[in-house]
Amino acid sequence: MTVRWDIFCTVVDNYGDIGVTWRLARQLVAEHRCAVRLWVDDLRAFERLCPSIDVTLTEQWQQGVQVRHWPKDWQPTEAADVVIAAFACQLPSAYMDAMAERPAAPLWMNLDYLSAEDWVIGCHGLPSVKYKHVQKYFFFPGFQEGTGGLLREAGLLERRREFQQDGEAQRAFLQGLGVERESGARLISLFAYENDGLASWFDALATDARPSHVLVPESRILADVERWVGIDGLKAGAVHRRGALTVQVLPFVRQDEYDQLLWCCDFNAVRGEDSFVRAQWAGRPLLWHIYQQEEDVHLEKLEAFLRLYTEGLPEAAEKAISGLWRAWNAGQGVAEHWSAACEQHQVLAEHAQAWCQKQASRADLATALVKFYRNWI
Ligand code: TRH
């Protein structure tokens, strides 16, 4: 019997909420034959990752997923067998009543934000609150045994490896974005929040002996890029050269194309949650701009991840990557740290591959969710 899933997503800001839930919904359909309704309150954010979304529709099918606009004025609907509230979003009260009225209560889970902190292991899978007799559970993604794992589609690493070995496929992909890769140039993708440290990084790249080509999808960091370049209103397609650095603005691409962009680059600057995980699956060195939280709690999350990620690295490489990440997240100058990371590039590149393999040896998040449901019934 097909298991019916409802995934609820409120777009708080940015693209992580919809990015994660859209990825999960597709995987549950494609790999676990689930019937999935994805309820999203902001179809415009969704449209940026998936341009085939029609923002005027209340209901539509996309890649086997039933996408439903989550209206403020909720209309009665039957509850599914498994209900996922992504990132602690509040379900409509009429829907919670529908859950309680089912002959058999659904499995209700909160899919939490990703964190490398140790406490996650102790909380993953625990019961949370109850609504009437319907029990809610915590489901935590994570990097360690005892967590829900990371989203990773079947065959992802094989597809990535094939693409990375196929120079022609990469050239054609980049050409489609208007990018001509100069031979010998370091290719870098840059997706980040506003960051005062950007100018110091670009200065270092511009005066470097090796040329760099930085690809910047239209996003929040663009204002800092404009300041450095000295031109306002940069749009996709804009190319600026200074010294050894070429900066090129890209359009915001489809989610699967973003993967390919990461796979092409020698180094990826990413942010938030989903792009951060995708950069790890790219198997290349990365720089993470973590989502800022009140009272700087994000800095503890950054340190927790660094502790795990740098395990086994020689001291010089560990210092180089940690220094770079800390400076970037503090919005400080990164020139010195960048140069240290470049010196360690080979070690960091091998480490990125090893980390990716280690993470891929564990069950992926969609499989873990399905297993959680099977064990629960
Ligand atoms: O957009 P984000 O900053 O989202 C954030 C984080 O998830 C954060 O943890 C959360 O608290 C906050 O939202 C509310 O970064 P993230 O998570 O990387 O999501 C970006 C998504 O956009 C991801 O799915 C990749 C996708 N993307 C594209 O599809 N095309 C693109 O060109 C780019 C740059 C990204």
Side-chain angles (χ1 to χ4, degrees):
M1 210 184 66
T2 309
V3 181
R4 290 175 309 135
W5 294 57
D6 270 334
I7 303 177
F8 285 86
C9 170
T10 48
V11 176
V12 178
D13 59 1
N14 303 318
Y15 303 105
D17 309 294
I18 184 60
V20 166
T21 49
W22 170 228
R23 200 180 286 294
L24 171 64
R26 274 179 296 167
Q27 208 186 333
L28 287 169
V29 169
E31 296 171 30
H32 300 280
R33 299 207 193 105
C34 305
V36 181
R37 287 192 297 198
L38 175 58
W39 298 89
V40 185
D41 66 346
D42 177 0
L43 292 177
R44 292 209 178 270
F46 197 172
E47 189 191 18
R48 296 216 61 199
L49 281 76
C50 175
S52 56
I53 286 286
D54 182 340
V55 296
T56 63
L57 296 179
T58 53
E59 192 178 330
Q60 60 196 295
W61 287 88
Q62 295 285 345
Q63 300 182 37
V65 175
Q66 193 184 8
V67 175
R68 302 286 296 262
H69 180 236
W70 177 354
K72 282 200 178 70
D73 179 19
W74 181 258
Q75 297 303 311
T77 187
E78 236 177 84
D81 306 309
V82 186
V83 180
I84 296 187
F87 311 122
C89 70
Q90 180 63 38
L91 302 187
S93 57
Y95 186 87
M96 303 222 285
D97 285 329
M99 293 199 299
E101 282 156 17
R102 274 174 53 110
L107 171 60
W108 177 26
M109 283 180 282
N110 184 57
L111 175 62
D112 271 277
Y113 285 107
L114 174 64
S115 170
E117 290 161 298
D118 285 338
W119 61 261
V120 163
I121 301 170
C123 293
H124 171 61
L126 288 188
S128 160
V129 293
K130 260 189 181 172
Y131 179 73
K132 297 183 178 167
H133 60 283
V134 187
Q135 178 69 58
K136 188 176 184 181
Y137 293 88
F138 292 111
F139 195 96
F140 280 93
F143 303 93
Q144 301 187 78
E145 221 44 68
T147 70
L150 301 172
L151 280 170
R152 172 174 43 84
E153 299 82 355
L156 176 73
L157 297 196
E158 290 73 10
R159 286 198 297 284
R160 186 264 283 173
R161 252 177 245 123
E162 217 172 279
F163 187 78
Q164 286 179 337
Q165 282 161 9
D166 187 343
E168 186 47 40
Q170 289 179 53
R171 205 188 55 78
F173 169 75
L174 290 171
Q175 207 169 44
L177 294 175
V179 177
E180 289 295 338
R181 185 179 196 161
E182 199 189 309
S183 107
R186 192 192 276 129
L187 200 61
I188 299 175
S189 77
L190 171 58
F191 180 45
Y193 307 113
E194 297 77 6
N195 197 318
D196 289 340
L198 181 83
S200 68
W201 191 17
F202 276 13
D203 286 343
L205 293 172
T207 52
D208 196 2
R210 183 175 172 195
S212 295
H213 192 156
V214 179
L215 305 174
V216 194
E218 286 179 318
S219 60
R220 287 169 53 180
I221 188 89
L222 214 51
D224 296 299
V225 174
E226 287 172 352
R227 243 187 310 281
W228 188 81
V229 164
I231 301 172
D232 279 344
L234 288 180
K235 290 272 172 301
V239 180
H240 178 88
R241 289 190 183 83
R242 188 188 300 175
L245 172 60
T246 303
V247 182
Q248 181 165 0
V249 182
L250 299 186
F252 198 90
V253 293
R254 286 200 329 262
Q255 217 181 24
D256 47 344
E257 288 182 323
Y258 182 62
D259 269 341
Q260 288 177 301
L261 177 65
L262 296 173
W263 299 349
C264 285
C265 290
D266 303 299
F267 187 89
N268 292 302
V270 286
R271 72 183 204 190
E273 177 162 333
D274 192 53
S275 58
F276 172 50
V277 172
R278 303 315 280 186
Q280 292 170 54
W281 296 140
R284 300 268 161 90
L286 68 149
L287 172 58
W288 183 29
H289 201 180
I290 191 169
Y291 184 77
Q292 204 166 344
Q293 287 178 289
E294 274 167 29
E295 292 171 17
D296 283 348
V297 288
H298 61 287
L299 295 180
E300 283 163 39
K301 293 185 178 173
L302 180 75
E303 290 304 321
F305 182 79
L306 276 174
R307 262 194 303 279
L308 284 186
Y309 185 74
T310 58
E311 227 169 74
L313 266 180
E315 200 185 336
E318 186 272 312
K319 281 217 166 89
I321 196 76
S322 304
L324 180 63
W325 285 34
R326 286 184 187 124
W328 185 239
N329 280 286
Q332 293 168 351
V334 296
E336 228 177 85
H337 304 288
W338 172 249
S339 126
C342 287
E343 273 170 35
Q344 299 297 322
H345 182 77
Q346 197 47 38
V347 180
L348 292 171
E350 283 163 23
H351 185 72
Q353 289 283 0
W355 170 263
C356 172
Q357 284 311 320
K358 184 171 159 193
Q359 289 303 321
S361 67
R362 303 190 31 236
D364 67 89
L365 188 136
T367 303
L369 273 171
V370 170
K371 203 165 150 200
F372 192 88
Y373 171 68
R374 291 215 183 105
N375 292 340
W376 174 84
I377 43 175

mmCIF file of all heavy atoms in Angstrom, residues 262-291:
data_model
loop_
_atom_site.group_PDB
_atom_site.id
_atom_site.type_symbol
_atom_site.label_atom_id
_atom_site.label_comp_id
_atom_site.label_asym_id
_atom_site.label_seq_id
_atom_site.Cartn_x
_atom_site.Cartn_y
_atom_site.Cartn_z
ATOM 1 N N LEU A 262 28.598 23.379 -8.534
ATOM 2 C CA LEU A 262 29.505 23.021 -7.432
ATOM 3 C C LEU A 262 30.507 21.959 -7.887
ATOM 4 O O LEU A 262 31.680 21.991 -7.507
ATOM 5 C CB LEU A 262 28.706 22.489 -6.241
ATOM 6 C CG LEU A 262 27.735 23.456 -5.553
ATOM 7 C CD1 LEU A 262 26.898 22.724 -4.509
ATOM 8 C CD2 LEU A 262 28.488 24.604 -4.889
ATOM 9 N N TRP A 263 30.042 21.011 -8.692
ATOM 10 C CA TRP A 263 30.909 19.921 -9.152
ATOM 11 C C TRP A 263 32.031 20.436 -10.068
ATOM 12 O O TRP A 263 33.102 19.852 -10.130
ATOM 13 C CB TRP A 263 30.101 18.863 -9.907
ATOM 14 C CG TRP A 263 29.027 18.199 -9.102
ATOM 15 C CD1 TRP A 263 28.839 18.280 -7.755
ATOM 16 C CD2 TRP A 263 27.971 17.357 -9.591
ATOM 17 N NE1 TRP A 263 27.736 17.544 -7.384
ATOM 18 C CE2 TRP A 263 27.184 16.963 -8.488
ATOM 19 C CE3 TRP A 263 27.606 16.891 -10.863
ATOM 20 C CZ2 TRP A 263 26.068 16.134 -8.608
ATOM 21 C CZ3 TRP A 263 26.492 16.064 -10.983
ATOM 22 C CH2 TRP A 263 25.740 15.692 -9.862
ATOM 23 N N CYS A 264 31.737 21.523 -10.799
ATOM 24 C CA CYS A 264 32.739 22.077 -11.734
ATOM 25 C C CYS A 264 33.851 22.827 -11.002
ATOM 26 O O CYS A 264 34.955 22.957 -11.527
ATOM 27 C CB CYS A 264 32.085 23.105 -12.666
ATOM 28 S SG CYS A 264 31.066 22.411 -13.955
ATOM 29 N N CYS A 265 33.508 23.394 -9.831
ATOM 30 C CA CYS A 265 34.433 24.345 -9.203
ATOM 31 C C CYS A 265 35.510 23.661 -8.354
ATOM 32 O O CYS A 265 35.302 22.588 -7.813
ATOM 33 C CB CYS A 265 33.645 25.336 -8.343
ATOM 34 S SG CYS A 265 32.667 26.451 -9.356
ATOM 35 N N ASP A 266 36.662 24.334 -8.262
ATOM 36 C CA ASP A 266 37.759 23.817 -7.428
ATOM 37 C C ASP A 266 37.505 24.136 -5.965
ATOM 38 O O ASP A 266 38.057 23.493 -5.077
ATOM 39 C CB ASP A 266 39.082 24.502 -7.825
ATOM 40 C CG ASP A 266 39.369 24.310 -9.289
ATOM 41 O OD1 ASP A 266 39.502 23.153 -9.703
ATOM 42 O OD2 ASP A 266 39.423 25.326 -10.032
ATOM 43 N N PHE A 267 36.697 25.164 -5.738
ATOM 44 C CA PHE A 267 36.451 25.619 -4.368
ATOM 45 C C PHE A 267 35.060 26.241 -4.345
ATOM 46 O O PHE A 267 34.712 27.015 -5.230
ATOM 47 C CB PHE A 267 37.522 26.652 -3.982
ATOM 48 C CG PHE A 267 37.473 27.073 -2.543
ATOM 49 C CD1 PHE A 267 38.179 26.368 -1.573
ATOM 50 C CD2 PHE A 267 36.718 28.171 -2.159
ATOM 51 C CE1 PHE A 267 38.132 26.758 -0.235
ATOM 52 C CE2 PHE A 267 36.662 28.563 -0.828
ATOM 53 C CZ PHE A 267 37.378 27.855 0.134
ATOM 54 N N ASN A 268 34.274 25.892 -3.319
ATOM 55 C CA ASN A 268 32.904 26.407 -3.251
ATOM 56 C C ASN A 268 32.652 27.138 -1.938
ATOM 57 O O ASN A 268 32.846 26.574 -0.860
ATOM 58 C CB ASN A 268 31.902 25.254 -3.368
ATOM 59 C CG ASN A 268 31.926 24.621 -4.753
ATOM 60 O OD1 ASN A 268 31.704 25.300 -5.755
ATOM 61 N ND2 ASN A 268 32.239 23.324 -4.822
ATOM 62 N N ALA A 269 32.198 28.372 -2.057
ATOM 63 C CA ALA A 269 31.731 29.106 -0.873
ATOM 64 C C ALA A 269 30.219 28.956 -0.847
ATOM 65 O O ALA A 269 29.549 29.300 -1.826
ATOM 66 C CB ALA A 269 32.145 30.571 -0.967
ATOM 67 N N VAL A 270 29.715 28.431 0.243
ATOM 68 C CA VAL A 270 28.284 28.127 0.346
ATOM 69 C C VAL A 270 27.736 28.689 1.656
ATOM 70 O O VAL A 270 28.491 29.228 2.468
ATOM 71 C CB VAL A 270 28.029 26.597 0.273
ATOM 72 C CG1 VAL A 270 28.207 26.093 -1.144
ATOM 73 C CG2 VAL A 270 28.927 25.839 1.232
ATOM 74 N N ARG A 271 26.418 28.511 1.868
ATOM 75 C CA ARG A 271 25.827 29.122 3.062
ATOM 76 C C ARG A 271 24.713 28.222 3.594
ATOM 77 O O ARG A 271 24.381 27.196 2.988
ATOM 78 C CB ARG A 271 25.295 30.509 2.713
ATOM 79 C CG ARG A 271 24.040 30.480 1.860
ATOM 80 C CD ARG A 271 23.572 31.867 1.467
ATOM 81 N NE ARG A 271 22.145 31.851 1.167
ATOM 82 C CZ ARG A 271 21.483 32.855 0.614
ATOM 83 N NH1 ARG A 271 22.121 33.952 0.280
ATOM 84 N NH2 ARG A 271 20.178 32.765 0.404
ATOM 85 N N GLY A 272 24.097 28.648 4.709
ATOM 86 C CA GLY A 272 22.869 28.030 5.187
ATOM 87 C C GLY A 272 22.981 26.548 5.483
ATOM 88 O O GLY A 272 23.840 26.103 6.243
ATOM 89 N N GLU A 273 22.130 25.785 4.844
ATOM 90 C CA GLU A 273 22.041 24.354 5.159
ATOM 91 C C GLU A 273 22.157 23.483 3.909
ATOM 92 O O GLU A 273 23.012 22.617 3.814
ATOM 93 C CB GLU A 273 20.706 24.093 5.866
ATOM 94 C CG GLU A 273 20.468 22.640 6.175
ATOM 95 C CD GLU A 273 19.405 22.414 7.238
ATOM 96 O OE1 GLU A 273 19.187 23.279 8.091
ATOM 97 O OE2 GLU A 273 18.803 21.327 7.216
ATOM 98 N N ASP A 274 21.295 23.725 2.942
ATOM 99 C CA ASP A 274 21.259 22.804 1.809
ATOM 100 C C ASP A 274 22.474 22.962 0.894
ATOM 101 O O ASP A 274 23.090 21.966 0.497
ATOM 102 C CB ASP A 274 19.956 23.004 1.020
ATOM 103 C CG ASP A 274 19.741 21.884 0.015
ATOM 104 O OD1 ASP A 274 19.780 20.703 0.429
ATOM 105 O OD2 ASP A 274 19.572 22.158 -1.178
ATOM 106 N N SER A 275 22.855 24.201 0.560
ATOM 107 C CA SER A 275 24.025 24.374 -0.309
ATOM 108 C C SER A 275 25.280 23.883 0.409
ATOM 109 O O SER A 275 26.218 23.375 -0.222
ATOM 110 C CB SER A 275 24.185 25.829 -0.748
ATOM 111 O OG SER A 275 24.316 26.683 0.366
ATOM 112 N N PHE A 276 25.287 24.012 1.725
ATOM 113 C CA PHE A 276 26.409 23.544 2.550
ATOM 114 C C PHE A 276 26.573 22.019 2.394
ATOM 115 O O PHE A 276 27.679 21.505 2.174
ATOM 116 C CB PHE A 276 26.094 23.939 3.999
ATOM 117 C CG PHE A 276 27.006 23.405 5.058
ATOM 118 C CD1 PHE A 276 28.375 23.523 4.940
ATOM 119 C CD2 PHE A 276 26.481 22.811 6.205
ATOM 120 C CE1 PHE A 276 29.215 23.039 5.946
ATOM 121 C CE2 PHE A 276 27.304 22.335 7.201
ATOM 122 C CZ PHE A 276 28.672 22.439 7.069
ATOM 123 N N VAL A 277 25.461 21.317 2.445
ATOM 124 C CA VAL A 277 25.522 19.851 2.296
ATOM 125 C C VAL A 277 25.898 19.484 0.859
ATOM 126 O O VAL A 277 26.722 18.594 0.618
ATOM 127 C CB VAL A 277 24.174 19.207 2.692
ATOM 128 C CG1 VAL A 277 24.157 17.723 2.357
ATOM 129 C CG2 VAL A 277 23.900 19.415 4.176
ATOM 130 N N ARG A 278 25.337 20.211 -0.106
ATOM 131 C CA ARG A 278 25.628 19.877 -1.512
ATOM 132 C C ARG A 278 27.113 20.095 -1.815
ATOM 133 O O ARG A 278 27.691 19.375 -2.627
ATOM 134 C CB ARG A 278 24.779 20.717 -2.474
ATOM 135 C CG ARG A 278 23.312 20.625 -2.287
ATOM 136 C CD ARG A 278 22.781 19.238 -2.102
ATOM 137 N NE ARG A 278 22.614 18.493 -3.331
ATOM 138 C CZ ARG A 278 22.046 17.279 -3.383
ATOM 139 N NH1 ARG A 278 21.607 16.691 -2.269
ATOM 140 N NH2 ARG A 278 21.936 16.641 -4.517
ATOM 141 N N ALA A 279 27.720 21.102 -1.196
ATOM 142 C CA ALA A 279 29.150 21.338 -1.421
ATOM 143 C C ALA A 279 29.964 20.178 -0.851
ATOM 144 O O ALA A 279 31.019 19.826 -1.384
ATOM 145 C CB ALA A 279 29.573 22.655 -0.795
ATOM 146 N N GLN A 280 29.472 19.562 0.214
ATOM 147 C CA GLN A 280 30.181 18.400 0.771
ATOM 148 C C GLN A 280 30.080 17.223 -0.194
ATOM 149 O O GLN A 280 31.039 16.501 -0.412
ATOM 150 C CB GLN A 280 29.623 18.058 2.144
ATOM 151 C CG GLN A 280 29.952 19.149 3.152
ATOM 152 C CD GLN A 280 29.224 18.980 4.462
ATOM 153 O OE1 GLN A 280 29.292 17.936 5.094
ATOM 154 N NE2 GLN A 280 28.522 20.016 4.879
ATOM 155 N N TRP A 281 28.909 17.068 -0.807
ATOM 156 C CA TRP A 281 28.769 15.978 -1.792
ATOM 157 C C TRP A 281 29.582 16.254 -3.060
ATOM 158 O O TRP A 281 29.869 15.340 -3.824
ATOM 159 C CB TRP A 281 27.293 15.762 -2.166
ATOM 160 C CG TRP A 281 26.398 15.298 -1.052
ATOM 161 C CD1 TRP A 281 25.121 15.718 -0.830
ATOM 162 C CD2 TRP A 281 26.670 14.320 -0.028
ATOM 163 N NE1 TRP A 281 24.583 15.083 0.271
ATOM 164 C CE2 TRP A 281 25.525 14.222 0.781
ATOM 165 C CE3 TRP A 281 27.781 13.546 0.299
ATOM 166 C CZ2 TRP A 281 25.438 13.370 1.887
ATOM 167 C CZ3 TRP A 281 27.715 12.695 1.413
ATOM 168 C CH2 TRP A 281 26.566 12.621 2.172
ATOM 169 N N ALA A 282 29.943 17.523 -3.293
ATOM 170 C CA ALA A 282 30.776 17.839 -4.462
ATOM 171 C C ALA A 282 32.192 17.319 -4.279
ATOM 172 O O ALA A 282 32.948 17.175 -5.247
ATOM 173 C CB ALA A 282 30.790 19.350 -4.707
ATOM 174 N N GLY A 283 32.569 17.056 -3.032
ATOM 175 C CA GLY A 283 33.893 16.460 -2.776
ATOM 176 C C GLY A 283 35.039 17.431 -3.000
ATOM 177 O O GLY A 283 36.161 17.027 -3.282
ATOM 178 N N ARG A 284 34.776 18.702 -2.890
ATOM 179 C CA ARG A 284 35.809 19.732 -3.090
ATOM 180 C C ARG A 284 35.904 20.613 -1.843
ATOM 181 O O ARG A 284 34.922 20.729 -1.097
ATOM 182 C CB ARG A 284 35.429 20.614 -4.294
ATOM 183 C CG ARG A 284 35.300 19.833 -5.610
ATOM 184 C CD ARG A 284 36.615 19.832 -6.357
ATOM 185 N NE ARG A 284 36.731 18.781 -7.367
ATOM 186 C CZ ARG A 284 36.372 18.889 -8.637
ATOM 187 N NH1 ARG A 284 35.816 19.997 -9.067
ATOM 188 N NH2 ARG A 284 36.576 17.893 -9.471
ATOM 189 N N PRO A 285 37.053 21.251 -1.610
ATOM 190 C CA PRO A 285 37.175 22.128 -0.438
ATOM 191 C C PRO A 285 36.102 23.217 -0.463
ATOM 192 O O PRO A 285 35.712 23.676 -1.543
ATOM 193 C CB PRO A 285 38.567 22.728 -0.583
ATOM 194 C CG PRO A 285 39.312 21.790 -1.455
ATOM 195 C CD PRO A 285 38.304 21.185 -2.383
ATOM 196 N N LEU A 286 35.653 23.596 0.723
ATOM 197 C CA LEU A 286 34.538 24.540 0.799
ATOM 198 C C LEU A 286 34.738 25.555 1.916
ATOM 199 O O LEU A 286 35.562 25.357 2.812
ATOM 200 C CB LEU A 286 33.218 23.787 0.992
ATOM 201 C CG LEU A 286 32.992 23.056 2.320
ATOM 202 C CD1 LEU A 286 31.515 23.039 2.647
ATOM 203 C CD2 LEU A 286 33.492 21.619 2.243
ATOM 204 N N LEU A 287 33.952 26.600 1.811
ATOM 205 C CA LEU A 287 33.921 27.651 2.832
ATOM 206 C C LEU A 287 32.460 27.862 3.173
ATOM 207 O O LEU A 287 31.649 28.143 2.289
ATOM 208 C CB LEU A 287 34.543 28.936 2.255
ATOM 209 C CG LEU A 287 34.443 30.209 3.081
ATOM 210 C CD1 LEU A 287 35.075 30.035 4.455
ATOM 211 C CD2 LEU A 287 35.121 31.369 2.335
ATOM 212 N N TRP A 288 32.132 27.740 4.467
ATOM 213 C CA TRP A 288 30.728 27.806 4.879
ATOM 214 C C TRP A 288 30.404 29.130 5.540
ATOM 215 O O TRP A 288 31.044 29.500 6.523
ATOM 216 C CB TRP A 288 30.452 26.653 5.869
ATOM 217 C CG TRP A 288 29.025 26.550 6.338
ATOM 218 C CD1 TRP A 288 27.908 26.928 5.668
ATOM 219 C CD2 TRP A 288 28.576 26.005 7.590
ATOM 220 N NE1 TRP A 288 26.780 26.649 6.413
ATOM 221 C CE2 TRP A 288 27.162 26.083 7.597
ATOM 222 C CE3 TRP A 288 29.224 25.447 8.693
ATOM 223 C CZ2 TRP A 288 26.386 25.635 8.668
ATOM 224 C CZ3 TRP A 288 28.457 24.996 9.765
ATOM 225 C CH2 TRP A 288 27.046 25.084 9.744
ATOM 226 N N HIS A 289 29.408 29.831 5.013
ATOM 227 C CA HIS A 289 28.862 30.999 5.698
ATOM 228 C C HIS A 289 27.603 30.524 6.402
ATOM 229 O O HIS A 289 26.576 30.276 5.773
ATOM 230 C CB HIS A 289 28.536 32.101 4.679
ATOM 231 C CG HIS A 289 28.444 33.458 5.291
ATOM 232 N ND1 HIS A 289 28.159 34.590 4.583
ATOM 233 C CD2 HIS A 289 28.621 33.860 6.582
ATOM 234 C CE1 HIS A 289 28.157 35.634 5.395
ATOM 235 N NE2 HIS A 289 28.426 35.211 6.609
ATOM 236 N N ILE A 290 27.689 30.406 7.698
ATOM 237 C CA ILE A 290 26.577 29.840 8.473
ATOM 238 C C ILE A 290 25.481 30.904 8.636
ATOM 239 O O ILE A 290 25.782 32.098 8.682
ATOM 240 C CB ILE A 290 27.100 29.297 9.834
ATOM 241 C CG1 ILE A 290 26.045 28.468 10.556
ATOM 242 C CG2 ILE A 290 27.615 30.409 10.717
ATOM 243 C CD1 ILE A 290 26.602 27.698 11.764
ATOM 244 N N TYR A 291 24.251 30.436 8.729
ATOM 245 C CA TYR A 291 23.095 31.337 8.936
ATOM 246 C C TYR A 291 23.188 31.929 10.346
ATOM 247 O O TYR A 291 23.292 31.183 11.327
ATOM 248 C CB TYR A 291 21.810 30.523 8.760
ATOM 249 C CG TYR A 291 20.531 31.319 8.845
ATOM 250 C CD1 TYR A 291 20.103 32.112 7.775
ATOM 251 C CD2 TYR A 291 19.736 31.274 9.978
ATOM 252 C CE1 TYR A 291 18.922 32.826 7.838
ATOM 253 C CE2 TYR A 291 18.551 31.985 10.052
ATOM 254 C CZ TYR A 291 18.149 32.761 8.976
ATOM 255 O OH TYR A 291 16.976 33.464 9.045
#
